[in-house]
Amino acid sequence: MLDTQPITQSKCIVFMPARNCEMYAAEALRSLARQVHEDIFVVYVDDASEDQTGQIAQHHLNSLFPGRHVYIRNDVRFGKSRNIWEHLRPRAKSAEFIAILDADDRLEDPTILAEMAACYAGGQDVVWSNFFTDTGFKGQNGALDPARSPRMQGWRTSHFFSFRAALLGNIP
């Protein structure tokens, strides 16, 4: 189901792709609601889940993000890249930056979106987030140096990453 419902103007769109993650969907959305940066809009895509992911997500989106979300359910599985192309790209112009949070992940740091917003206000184009491993090791948040190849910079990986929204429009 292609949904082109417009979104309200927000500094940050949080794009949440989901598939069969009913055990994690509620906590992922609650962790997003705990963010101190409140100028966000959630684009939640249920990618043809075969469990209760969609119902759980809709309940929490309605209660935690009233008027600040769109819920989309695909009848057939698209995968993350096509979901970005079909559902996120048409909405990207309405935001300063986009953060991608898989619906089976959660944000432990309530300031992470505020830190990302500060990086974008400072002129960065891509910012990777902090993360926790199974053993409790905490990674780091930081901007990529635009003058150097990302492959030549320190490892800054996570399932939660972001980029300046205008960059999405440059993909043919």
Side-chain angles (χ1 to χ4, degrees):
M1 156 202 269
L2 180 59
D3 182 327
T4 56
Q5 177 183 344
I7 66 170
T8 58
Q9 188 72 27
S10 296
K11 284 195 179 206
C12 174
I13 293 174
V14 177
F15 180 72
M16 296 186 72
R19 176 154 169 83
N20 295 338
C21 56
E22 67 184 0
M23 291 177 41
Y24 309 102
E27 185 51 38
L29 287 163
R30 284 193 293 263
S31 77
L32 185 55
R34 288 190 289 267
Q35 291 295 299
V36 298
H37 183 73
E38 296 177 351
D39 191 7
I40 64 172
F41 190 92
V42 181
V43 176
Y44 194 101
V45 179
D46 179 355
D47 200 16
S49 291
E50 299 164 343
D51 62 8
Q52 299 300 307
T53 297
Q55 294 87 335
I56 294 166
Q58 287 181 72
H59 169 77
H60 285 85
L61 287 163
N62 289 332
S63 66
L64 299 171
F65 301 98
R68 297 186 301 137
H69 76 274
V70 61
Y71 170 84
I72 301 159
R73 172 162 168 77
N74 295 332
D75 294 328
V76 296
R77 188 173 181 192
F78 283 7
K80 187 184 265 185
S81 295
R82 183 172 174 197
N83 279 314
I84 288 171
W85 184 260
E86 300 280 349
H87 302 303
L88 178 59
R89 190 170 191 257
R91 296 170 169 89
K93 290 181 237 164
S94 65
E96 182 177 329
F97 73 98
I98 295 167
I100 298 182
L101 177 64
D102 292 341
D104 61 351
D105 292 337
R106 69 175 187 257
L107 303 176
E108 292 293 329
D109 182 345
T111 66
I112 190 64
L113 287 177
E115 290 176 33
M116 286 180 165
C119 288
Y120 291 110
Q124 299 300 323
D125 286 328
V126 177
V127 179
W128 292 91
S129 71
N130 62 357
F131 60 94
F132 289 93
T133 66
D134 310 24
T135 60
F137 173 78
K138 182 179 179 184
Q140 296 184 13
N141 177 37
L144 294 176
D145 182 348
R148 293 176 49 212
S149 164
R151 294 175 193 256
M152 303 307 291
Q153 298 182 49
W155 187 253
R156 298 179 186 198
T157 189
S158 173
H159 281 274
F160 185 60
F161 60 95
S162 67
F163 51 91
R164 188 170 297 281
L167 294 176
L168 194 54
N170 295 333
I171 298 173

